[in-house]
């Protein structure tokens, strides 16, 4: 397999230890004669930058890119611009690829039809000490968990999560990469950049696939298991949904806004009358995000 087939991009911001653990897991399995690894430092602090540079000097092979402006989509696009691969895999800095991740993904790519534009892999949560908490489906989704097995076409119903994903370079180039209007930046919990990319490549006729054979363990920080974080995440999901719909010129967003405007007061009353249930609460926060963003209010932080 020539070098121009497979690139791996890891983007990081102030999580040097996590990023280096991810890189070490990749380093132990990747055939550098046929593939490449690119680390994009998204404006980490000087101390974190020093840790990264020292750590990758021991690994020798990863290409290090430094950006002075933070932003996940900016970082992914910078990595994309330097890739030599026909396929570009993205692994989050707080994810640890399984020992067979490289070989399993390589096998999938070797058999990928020409109309496949993107492939999502399995993401298994790694919870803090104490075992997995009791989480509802919406909370799990906000934690970027997709631990289902099997292989299937998910063009109609997206299952790809960018924390463990692979895109055909031609498909990403055709849609202009990841939208910088979306994606995490500083304290914002804005998201949806991977979903918007999937919408755009689907419109161009590419298919999207899910394959559970290539898998990562995704670390779940303790603060993401708090009510404060998940409520903020649900609120920002509503904001992200409307911004994404605007970028897609999707007129269906008006129906979504109307539905949220009607549902929010009802959910607010139910949350007062019914026993506390996170699904109710998170749906309320999501709807509030939809309505407020539709009015073009701009929240200043993620602590909604």
């Amino acid at each position: 397999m020539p070098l121009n087939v497979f690139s791996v991009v890891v983007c990081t911001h102030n999580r040097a230890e996590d990023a280096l653990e991810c890189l070490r897991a990749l380093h132990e399995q990747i055939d550098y004669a046929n593939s490449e690894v690119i680390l994009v430092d998204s404006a980490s602090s000087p101390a974190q930058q020093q840790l990264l540079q020292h750590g990758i000097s021991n690994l020798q092979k990863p290409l290090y890119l430094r950006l002075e402006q933070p932003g996940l989509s900016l970082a992914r696009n910078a990595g994309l611009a330097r890739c030599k691969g026909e396929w570009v895999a993205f692994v989050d800095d707080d994810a640890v690829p399984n020992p067979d991740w490289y070989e399993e993904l390589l096998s999938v790519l070797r058999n990928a039809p020409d109309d496949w534009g993107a492939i999502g892999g399995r993401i298994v949560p790694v919870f803090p000490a104490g075992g997995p908490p009791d989480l509802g489906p919406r909370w799990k989704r906000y934690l970027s968990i997709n631990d289902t097995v099997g292989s299937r076409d998910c063009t109609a119903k997206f299952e790809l999560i960018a924390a463990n994903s692979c895109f055909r370079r031609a498909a990403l180039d055709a849609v202009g990469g990841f939208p910088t209007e979306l994606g995490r930046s500083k304290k914002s919990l804005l998201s949806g950049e991977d979903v918007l990319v999937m919408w755009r490549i689907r419109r161009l006729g590419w298919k999207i696939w899910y394959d559970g054979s290539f898998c990562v363990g995704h670390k779940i920080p303790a603060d993401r298991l708090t009510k404060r974080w998940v409520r903020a995440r649900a609120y920002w999901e509503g904001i992200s949904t409307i911004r994404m719909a605007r970028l897609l010129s999707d007129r269906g967003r008006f129906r979504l806004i109307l539905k949220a405007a009607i549902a929010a007061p009802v959910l607010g009353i139910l949350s007062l009358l019914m026993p506390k249930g996170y699904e109710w609460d998170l749906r309320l926060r999501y709807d509030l995000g939809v309505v407020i963003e539709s009015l073009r209010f701009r929240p200043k932080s993620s602590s909604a």
Side-chain angles (χ1 to χ4, degrees), residues 4-149:
N4 65 349
V5 171
F6 189 13
S7 303
V8 185
V9 175
V10 178
C11 302
T12 188
H13 173 72
N14 286 337
R15 289 200 295 216
E17 291 185 2
D18 285 336
L20 290 172
E21 183 178 0
C22 175
L23 290 172
R24 284 191 289 268
L26 290 169
H27 184 73
E28 291 173 359
Q29 55 187 292
I30 281 187
D31 178 4
Y32 285 102
N34 298 316
S35 304
E36 62 179 354
V37 177
I38 298 174
L39 172 67
V40 184
D41 177 359
S42 179
S44 294
S45 69
Q48 291 285 301
Q49 179 185 8
Q50 186 175 13
L51 283 174
L52 286 171
Q53 291 176 325
H54 176 73
I56 63 172
S57 68
N58 296 326
L59 299 177
Q60 298 179 342
K61 294 293 184 179
L63 172 64
Y64 174 81
L65 298 179
R66 167 76 179 182
L67 300 183
E68 297 303 328
Q69 181 179 353
L72 182 54
S73 289
L74 282 173
R76 284 176 175 159
N77 289 339
L80 175 65
R82 293 294 296 270
C83 284
K84 300 176 182 177
E86 175 186 348
W87 286 92
V88 183
F90 294 93
V91 180
D92 274 8
D93 59 353
D94 56 354
V96 181
N98 279 11
D100 62 352
W101 179 91
Y102 177 75
E103 286 300 327
E104 291 291 351
L105 179 52
L106 206 57
S107 177
V108 173
L109 296 182
R110 283 173 175 152
N111 296 293
D114 291 341
D115 61 351
W116 282 17
I119 309 164
R122 191 178 180 202
I123 302 173
V124 176
V126 179
F127 291 108
D134 183 18
L135 303 174
R138 191 178 291 265
W139 198 329
K140 288 182 179 180
R141 188 165 70 250
Y142 293 153
L143 292 173
S144 298
I145 297 172
N146 187 355
D147 57 358
T148 58
V149 298

